[in-house]
Amino acid sequence: MRENIFDSLIETNSLFVDRQAFEHGFEPNELPHREKEIRSLGENLVEALRGHIPSNMLLYGVPGSGKTIVTKTVLKQLKSKGRANGTSVKAYTINCRTVDTKYRVIQGLANQLEVSGDPKIPFTGWPTDRVLEEYRRRMERRGGMHVIVLDEIDHLVSKVGDSIIYSLTNLNLDLDAARCCIIGISNDLNFTKMLTPQVASRLAQIDLVFHPYGANEINDILEERVKRGIREGALDNRVIGLCSALAAQEHGDARRALDLLRIAVKKAQQMGHEIVDNGHVRLAQSQLEHDQLTPVLRTLPLQQKILLFSICMNEDNGLRNISTGEIYRTYSEVCHRIMVEPLTPRRISSLLNELDGLGIIIARNVSKGRGGRSKQINSAIPESLDAMSEMRDSEPLIQEASKGKYRLQRPL
Ligand SMILES: Nc1ncnc2c1ncn2[C@@H]1O[C@H](COP(=O)(O)OP(=O)(O)OP(=O)(O)O)[C@@H](O)[C@H]1O
Ligand SMILES: [Mg+2]
């Protein structure tokens, strides 16, 4: 019989000893460099164990700075202490990236308190006030302290406004047997600017900022995971340092560092190497860039795609530091070819800024003398990614445009 393909795929000699240690949902025992934040949360939430209402809190910090994991860890301990003390503390989290309407958030909260015999709240159809009333009724029935965590709250507010937060921070006025406090978590540092002052002061009674991790801090976080998750001696001694440094450059994101390390180990394993070295980390880095950028490229609006297509064509022709004028010329030709109305140079200039903001191009302002200014454009797409084919595959008009011939600028 032929060899079973799974024999070679099962990791008999894996470089991982515990792969879970690198999964996103993993809850580490130790959270290095977050002692202060854990303490601040604890010092406020301990009020719940004393029968008082903790202040509402707003936690913010860049992505991957440990907001979610710190909150989760502290709430777990709060619940466990509540059980041990016989104090009723209920804590529940809604992720507002996935649940992002007022109705569904309140429904999600109410569902946490559902017991058999309760009316099922339909996915839509009830007036929102009725859902809120049902939630209030269930809170009252359960009694005690309710700690409500709204993670990624900025998504909810940017989509539906802050009236939901207003309603939730008002709940205590209508509760007798129960009490609640709200913890909002945001990675948008300007989040409070989205709130009316009235709501901002209710929600952010306590502000807690999670600073971005520095390279040394990420190093410590990785060391902990490596001890648990990776075979001893499997890492070249520069690997953790490189992952930490790369992630620190990327706004101090511990998630990025863990991803880099996990993918680097996987790459080494796939290549049949016994030791993970910096080369594997570089491969992991380019795969991550690739994975991040591909969906962005594929979903760009048509005009942005035409613009990027025009830039890539000039670059493929050997041109660098392309001026806005040169890009505009190609762009207009492309529009003509696929019969799309071209935008004005002014609009194109602002679309170039948007592409720059997405990290797809680098637009540098240069002075042209006599007060005139122009931009120099270079693509920032890693070489491992074929932007043209991503755009062609996702947009028939770009497919069509790529069949055309254009008067491209020659490199000097
Ligand atoms: N101090 C730490 N110790 C150990 N692991 C950490 C620490 N901080 C973050 N992590 C890990 O890094 C990853 C990202 O952390 P987390 O999800 O808490 O970030 P976040 O601040 O909530 O980011 P986002 O704003 O993107 O939601 C998780 O896998 C988490 O376990
Ligand atoms: Mg989070």
Side-chain angles (χ1 to χ4, degrees):
M1 202 179 106
R2 285 177 64 182
E3 204 178 300
N4 185 317
I5 57 158
F6 293 104
D7 285 339
S8 59
L9 293 174
I10 286 182
E11 294 156 348
T12 42
N13 207 11
S14 172
L15 297 175
F16 288 105
V17 281
D18 181 0
R19 201 182 265 268
Q20 277 179 358
F22 289 90
E23 283 175 6
H24 283 164
F26 180 74
E27 294 174 35
N29 292 329
E30 301 292 326
L31 297 170
H33 305 294
R34 282 301 176 235
E35 296 78 12
K36 192 173 78 34
E37 291 76 8
I38 292 174
R39 202 172 168 78
S40 304
L41 266 165
E43 281 172 352
N44 180 38
L45 292 175
V46 70
E47 294 299 331
L49 298 171
R50 297 182 177 138
H52 301 147
I53 310 175
S55 303
N56 296 330
M57 297 181 94
L58 182 60
L59 277 43
Y60 33 163
V62 295
S65 57
K67 303 175 297 295
T68 299
I69 190 67
V70 162
T71 310
K72 203 167 175 182
T73 305
V74 172
L75 288 188
K76 214 168 166 182
Q77 295 195 7
L78 176 72
K79 286 191 275 189
S80 130
K81 194 47 99 186
R83 270 195 304 275
N85 284 359
T87 327
S88 171
V89 183
K90 179 101 182 137
Y92 33 94
T93 302
I94 296 282
N95 187 315
C96 307
R97 185 188 287 271
T98 44
V99 180
D100 60 359
T101 65
K102 183 170 179 178
Y103 186 99
R104 289 195 51 224
V105 167
I106 303 172
Q107 181 200 29
L109 293 168
N111 283 348
Q112 303 270 349
L113 304 176
E114 184 178 316
V115 297
S116 69
D118 275 342
K120 279 262 173 266
I121 305 173
F123 275 110
T124 56
W126 283 14
T128 310
D129 281 349
R130 180 168 169 207
V131 190
L132 189 63
E133 177 49 30
E134 177 62 17
Y135 176 44
R136 199 195 61 79
R137 188 185 70 79
R138 292 181 188 182
M139 286 174 96
E140 237 5 15
R141 178 180 63 198
R142 160 93 198 208
M145 190 61 63
H146 295 246
V147 179
I148 304 167
V149 179
L150 299 176
D151 201 353
E152 315 213 19
I153 191 172
D154 39 318
H155 280 270
L156 177 67
V157 172
S158 68
K159 198 168 158 212
V160 301
D162 66 3
S163 76
I164 176 163
I165 305 184
Y166 186 82
S167 307
L168 293 176
T169 51
N170 253 352
L171 272 171
N172 280 329
L173 300 177
D174 295 325
L175 289 167
D176 287 319
R179 289 282 182 267
C180 69
C181 82
I182 317 243
I183 300 182
I185 305 180
S186 162
N187 61 28
D188 179 345
L189 307 182
N190 290 317
F191 170 65
T192 43
K193 292 196 186 128
M194 290 185 213
L195 303 174
T196 50
Q198 210 180 6
V199 171
S201 66
R202 281 161 189 249
L203 178 63
Q205 289 172 334
I206 298 179
D207 264 352
L208 189 57
V209 181
F210 285 58
H211 67 80
Y213 292 118
N216 291 338
E217 293 175 324
I218 298 183
N219 211 88
D220 293 340
I221 293 171
L222 290 185
E223 297 268 5
E224 282 293 319
R225 298 288 173 107
V226 167
K227 264 189 243 158
R228 181 181 171 130
I230 294 176
R231 203 172 68 198
E232 221 184 316
L235 297 190
D236 175 291
N237 57 19
R238 290 163 306 172
V239 161
I240 295 185
L242 179 58
C243 292
S244 309
L246 290 172
Q249 282 165 18
E250 187 103 357
H251 70 245
D253 180 343
R255 186 185 295 117
R256 177 77 173 196
L258 288 162
D259 286 346
L260 272 173
L261 187 57
R262 187 191 72 246
I263 297 170
V265 175
K266 233 172 90 185
K267 294 264 177 216
Q269 199 152 291
Q270 282 163 355
M271 296 159 92
H273 297 166
E274 291 282 308
I275 305 274
V276 186
D277 61 26
N278 282 1
H280 301 114
V281 178
R282 295 285 177 198
L283 288 176
Q285 167 88 341
S286 78
Q287 178 177 330
L288 277 176
E289 280 171 354
H290 191 284
D291 293 351
Q292 268 173 347
L293 218 46
T294 308
V296 179
L297 288 178
R298 294 184 72 94
T299 54
L300 283 177
L302 177 63
Q303 287 288 354
Q304 306 246 23
K305 275 195 179 132
I306 302 176
L307 190 54
L308 185 58
F309 175 84
S310 313
I311 297 168
C312 291
M313 286 235 300
N314 276 297
E315 288 206 339
D316 288 351
N317 194 39
L319 212 62
R320 290 284 172 276
N321 299 327
I322 317 165
S323 72
T324 0
E326 279 154 356
I327 292 174
Y328 194 77
R329 221 168 306 135
T330 313
Y331 162 83
S332 313
E333 275 188 61
V334 177
C335 286
H336 181 73
R337 151 109 205 172
I338 56 177
M339 292 191 283
V340 168
E341 181 82 23
L343 301 174
T344 60
R346 200 189 171 84
R347 272 291 290 143
I348 288 303
S349 176
S350 87
L351 289 190
L352 286 171
N353 288 340
E354 284 175 26
L355 289 176
D356 183 304
L358 289 169
I360 294 174
I361 61 166
I362 298 169
R364 248 182 326 142
N365 280 318
V366 287
S367 133
K368 287 205 311 184
R370 284 216 230 120
R373 299 195 68 76
S374 155
K375 283 193 177 70
Q376 277 188 349
I377 308 294
N378 286 294
S379 127
I381 299 167
E383 281 191 8
S384 60
L385 209 166
D386 185 349
M388 285 294 218
S389 80
E390 295 299 342
M391 290 194 291
R392 272 198 306 267
D393 290 352
S394 53
E395 175 55 67
L397 282 174
I398 296 290
Q399 175 78 37
E400 178 61 30
S402 66
K403 294 178 193 150
K405 289 238 177 303
Y406 305 96
R407 274 176 288 129
L408 298 169
Q409 215 48 36
R410 293 246 133 254
L412 292 176

